[in-house]
């Protein structure tokens, strides 16, 4: 991986290193230390709009090139809003767009432009981007060997066909270049999301079990953070799933992604037009208008240009209509990864349901404790009422008046006994009423 980083990163110019050394050695006027690690030439290129791209061709060869935005728009025939989806400074949801000459892919860390002949990625040190480049190189080299093997098998099948007419050896059909690159991007995105979901599961289940056994502020805070991560990851997985499902539901968008087939048909129509022009010139027919000493006005040139553009669009539209009839291979490819991303979404949904069940269980436990506190408070209130009876009796007998009952020797004992019995009877009556009304599980 380190060798790939050194090979993909462009070499640093000597002028930038000299400028950096000079900036370090020269003290600043304010006395502060100068900023380290700032590439002056890199800032200038960034201001000009140049960006480093990794180009992977059909043979698996990589090349690092610096192209500005408008050159890339002309190269891939893309509008500016599509290139804005690949900008690492902005966060856009996962998107797969099929255009006339390219496929714009924005799947998690994989942001690339796929054409019929090459794959263009923003140069990055992200491990997932480097793994994508390495995997794409390996697949392309393996597919090139498979194509040679397929051609040899085709020749052998032609020889065996004369001996065995009942059996026909059909070799496997290989995907075009753009679908192989798209497949690796989908595989990288699905694998990345599934690995994050697995890590979240490994972290979530022990934490939730610990929370059910011990409810504390620390555990609740950890579960809250875990649920926030789960919601964010579920949103990303849902977006990838919806994007694949939207492509599968629209045959026109899938037909637009057959770049190799459209390129082959357009080249075939171009060769046919050239052969037709050559045939007419050989027959002596006039192909062009008579030459006039006066140059043609600019309106006629604009008309010819508009007619040529309309003719090319008509040819591409016809090719797209023809490809629409045969989109099974792309649909099967998308369906396979739709199943994978749907399984990841189901895994996250199950984890979310487990978290919701844990929250319900904790709420039930807290409600049970709250009910126990209410019942204990009810008992204390009843006991306080019974004790208040003694205070009422003491207040009555403490008044400043004289009766004969005060002069009897056992008067205090009888008052205490009668008051205690009455209090106990009243407390028992309250407890029986609470039990009868099922306010307390006694």
């Amino acid at each position: 991986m380190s060798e790939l980083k050194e090979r993909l990163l462009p070499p640093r110019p000597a002028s930038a290193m000299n400028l950096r050394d000079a900036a370090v050695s020269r003290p600043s006027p304010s006395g502060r230390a100068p900023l380290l690690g700032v590439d002056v030439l890199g800032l200038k290129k960034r201001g000009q709009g140049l960006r480093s791209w990794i180009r992977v061709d059909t043979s698996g060869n990589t090349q690092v090139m610096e192209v500005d935005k408008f050159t890339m728009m002309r190269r891939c025939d893309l509008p500016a809003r599509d290139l804005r989806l690949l900008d690492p400074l902005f966060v856009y949801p996962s998107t797969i767009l099929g255009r006339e000459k390219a496929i714009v892919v924005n799947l998690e860390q994989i942001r690339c432009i796929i054409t019929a002949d090459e794959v263009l990625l923003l140069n990055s040190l992200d491990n997932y981007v480097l793994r994508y480049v390495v995997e794409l190189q390996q697949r392309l080299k393996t597919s090139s060997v498979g194509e040679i093997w397929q051609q040899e098998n085709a020749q052998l099948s032609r020889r065996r066909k004369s001996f065995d007419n009942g059996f026909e050896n059909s070799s496997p059909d290989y995907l075009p270049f753009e679908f192989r690159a798209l497949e690796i991007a989908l595989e990288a995105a699905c694998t990345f999301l599934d690995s994050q979901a697995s890590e979240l599961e490994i972290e979530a289940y022990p934490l939730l079990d610990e929370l059910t056994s011990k409810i504390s502020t620390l555990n609740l805070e950890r579960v809250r953070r875990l649920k926030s991560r789960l919601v964010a990851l579920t949103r990303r997985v849902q977006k990838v799933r919806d994007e694949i499902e939207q492509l599968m539901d629209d045959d026109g968008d899938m037909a637009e992604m057959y770049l190799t087939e459209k390129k082959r048909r357009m080249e075939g129509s171009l060769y046919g037009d050239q052969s037709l022009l050559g045939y007419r010139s050989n027959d002596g027919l006039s192909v062009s208008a008579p030459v006039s000493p006066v140059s043609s006005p600019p309106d006629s040139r604009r008309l010819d240009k508009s007619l040529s553009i309309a003719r090319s669009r008509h040819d591409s539209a016809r090719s797209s209509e023809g490809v629409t009839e045969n989109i099974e291979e792309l649909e099967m490819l998308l369906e396979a990864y739709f199943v994978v991303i749907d399984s990841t979404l189901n895994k996250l949904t199950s984890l979310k349901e487990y978290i919701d069940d844990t929250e319900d269980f904790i709420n039930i436990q807290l409600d049970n404790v709250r009910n126990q506190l209410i019942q204990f408070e009810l008992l204390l209130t009843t006991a306080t009422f019974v004790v208040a009876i003694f205070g009422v009796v003491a207040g009555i007998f403490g008044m400043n008046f004289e009766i004969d009952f005060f002069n009897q020797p056992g008067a205090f004992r009888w008052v205490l006994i009668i008051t205690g019995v009455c209090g106990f009877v009243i407390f028992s009556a309250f407890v029986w009423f609470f039990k009868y009304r099922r306010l307390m599980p006694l």
Side-chain angles (χ1 to χ4, degrees):
M1 191 66 69
S2 60
E3 297 178 357
L4 181 63
K5 289 183 180 180
E6 295 176 357
R7 184 156 49 90
L8 293 179
L9 286 177
R12 183 174 299 169
S15 59
M17 299 178 64
N18 296 333
L19 288 174
R20 180 178 297 176
D21 296 338
V24 172
S25 60
R26 189 189 313 117
S28 61
S30 61
R32 297 179 182 178
L35 295 176
L36 300 180
V38 178
D39 194 353
V40 179
L41 293 181
L43 291 175
K44 184 178 180 181
K45 290 179 180 179
R46 195 174 295 112
Q48 293 176 353
L50 293 178
R51 286 187 178 177
S52 180
W53 294 78
I54 302 175
R55 178 182 178 272
V56 183
D57 57 8
T58 56
S59 302
N61 301 320
T62 59
Q63 177 187 0
V64 178
M65 58 182 185
E66 293 181 351
V67 184
D68 61 345
K69 179 179 179 181
F70 299 100
T71 305
M72 186 61 65
M73 289 168 58
R74 291 191 299 268
R75 181 189 184 103
C76 303
D77 194 12
L78 292 175
R81 64 176 180 272
D82 291 345
L83 286 181
R84 201 173 294 116
L85 295 175
L86 307 179
D87 197 339
L89 300 178
F90 300 98
V91 179
Y92 288 98
S94 298
T95 309
I96 302 175
L97 300 176
R99 297 304 185 217
E100 183 66 29
K101 296 182 180 179
I103 301 174
V104 181
V105 178
N106 179 17
L107 294 174
E108 295 299 321
Q109 282 80 8
I110 308 300
R111 301 184 177 188
C112 62
I113 301 174
I114 303 173
T115 64
D117 302 323
E118 60 186 3
V119 177
L120 300 170
L121 298 97
L122 283 172
N123 196 355
S124 174
L125 294 179
D126 197 321
N127 290 329
Y128 286 94
V129 177
L130 299 179
R131 289 177 186 176
Y132 175 77
V133 175
V134 172
E135 185 67 21
L136 182 59
Q137 288 178 337
Q138 294 178 356
R139 297 279 184 92
L140 292 176
K141 292 178 182 179
T142 305
S143 63
S144 61
V145 175
E147 288 176 357
I148 298 175
W149 177 78
Q150 183 184 10
Q151 293 176 0
E152 293 178 355
N153 283 347
Q155 294 177 359
L156 292 176
S157 64
R158 293 192 193 98
R159 295 177 183 176
R160 294 177 181 176
K161 191 174 182 181
S162 58
F163 297 99
D164 190 3
N165 294 325
F167 176 75
E168 184 176 358
N169 186 11
S170 60
S171 58
D173 295 330
Y174 288 88
L175 293 174
F177 172 74
E178 63 270 13
F179 291 163
R180 281 177 281 175
L182 179 62
E183 180 183 9
I184 299 173
L186 288 171
E187 181 180 354
C190 294
T191 305
F192 174 71
L193 293 174
D194 188 71
S195 63
Q196 284 197 340
S198 300
E199 292 176 0
L200 200 62
E201 276 188 333
I202 295 174
E203 182 181 356
Y205 286 113
L207 180 59
L208 294 174
D209 294 338
E210 182 181 357
L211 181 63
T212 54
S213 59
K214 180 182 179 182
I215 302 175
S216 62
T217 306
L218 179 61
N219 290 336
L220 289 174
E221 179 64 22
R222 292 170 62 187
V223 171
R224 186 190 65 81
R225 295 177 181 176
L226 180 69
K227 191 173 182 179
S228 300
R229 291 168 52 194
L230 175 64
V231 171
L233 182 60
T234 304
R235 190 181 297 112
R236 289 158 52 193
V237 173
Q238 183 69 41
K239 180 58 182 174
V240 175
R241 180 185 179 277
D242 294 342
E243 191 66 27
I244 297 176
E245 186 178 9
Q246 183 180 359
L247 282 176
M248 292 173 59
D249 293 338
D250 196 341
D251 295 343
D253 290 344
M254 286 193 289
E256 285 290 334
M257 300 172 71
Y258 278 78
L259 304 178
T260 304
E261 184 68 19
K262 289 194 294 185
K263 180 181 178 183
R264 183 180 63 82
R265 293 194 179 188
M266 292 182 67
E267 290 178 353
S269 62
L270 180 61
Y271 293 153
D273 294 341
Q274 291 179 356
S275 62
L276 181 60
L277 291 175
Y279 174 74
R280 289 183 178 178
S281 61
N282 292 331
D283 289 345
L285 297 176
S286 176
V287 178
S288 60
V291 179
S292 174
V294 183
S295 61
S296 60
D299 295 336
S300 62
R301 295 179 183 176
R302 293 177 182 174
L303 180 60
D304 295 339
K305 186 177 180 179
S306 61
L307 288 175
S308 62
I309 294 174
R311 189 181 300 110
S312 63
R313 290 181 178 177
H314 179 66
D315 294 338
S316 62
R318 285 194 307 170
S319 62
S320 299
E321 291 176 359
V323 172
T324 308
E325 299 176 357
N326 188 12
I327 56 174
E328 286 82 4
E329 55 182 8
L330 178 58
E331 189 173 4
M332 292 176 62
L333 174 65
L334 294 176
E335 186 178 357
Y337 289 99
F338 177 79
V339 173
V340 175
I341 200 68
D342 189 66
S343 174
T344 305
L345 183 61
N346 292 334
K347 187 186 302 184
L348 294 176
T349 305
S350 301
L351 181 58
K352 185 178 182 302
E353 292 177 354
Y354 190 80
I355 292 177
D356 294 338
D357 294 341
T358 305
E359 290 179 352
D360 295 338
F361 178 73
I362 292 173
N363 290 329
I364 292 173
Q365 282 186 336
L366 294 177
D367 291 339
N368 187 22
V369 173
R370 191 179 299 111
N371 291 333
Q372 291 178 358
L373 291 176
I374 292 173
Q375 293 171 5
F376 183 70
E377 183 181 2
L378 188 61
L379 286 177
L380 287 180
T381 304
T382 306
T384 304
F385 175 74
V386 172
V387 173
I389 297 176
F390 287 89
V392 172
V393 174
I396 294 174
F397 283 94
M399 294 182 180
N400 192 10
F401 62 90
E402 295 182 0
I403 58 175
D404 297 337
F405 185 72
F406 291 160
N407 297 327
Q408 295 181 5
F412 177 75
R413 184 172 64 252
W414 283 105
V415 170
L416 186 63
I417 292 173
I418 294 172
T419 306
V421 171
C422 292
F424 179 77
V425 171
I426 294 174
F427 183 78
S428 300
F430 271 108
V431 170
W432 176 84
F433 176 76
F434 294 151
K435 182 178 180 181
Y436 176 76
R437 301 288 297 186
R438 295 183 180 178
L439 298 177
M440 297 178 63
L442 298 176

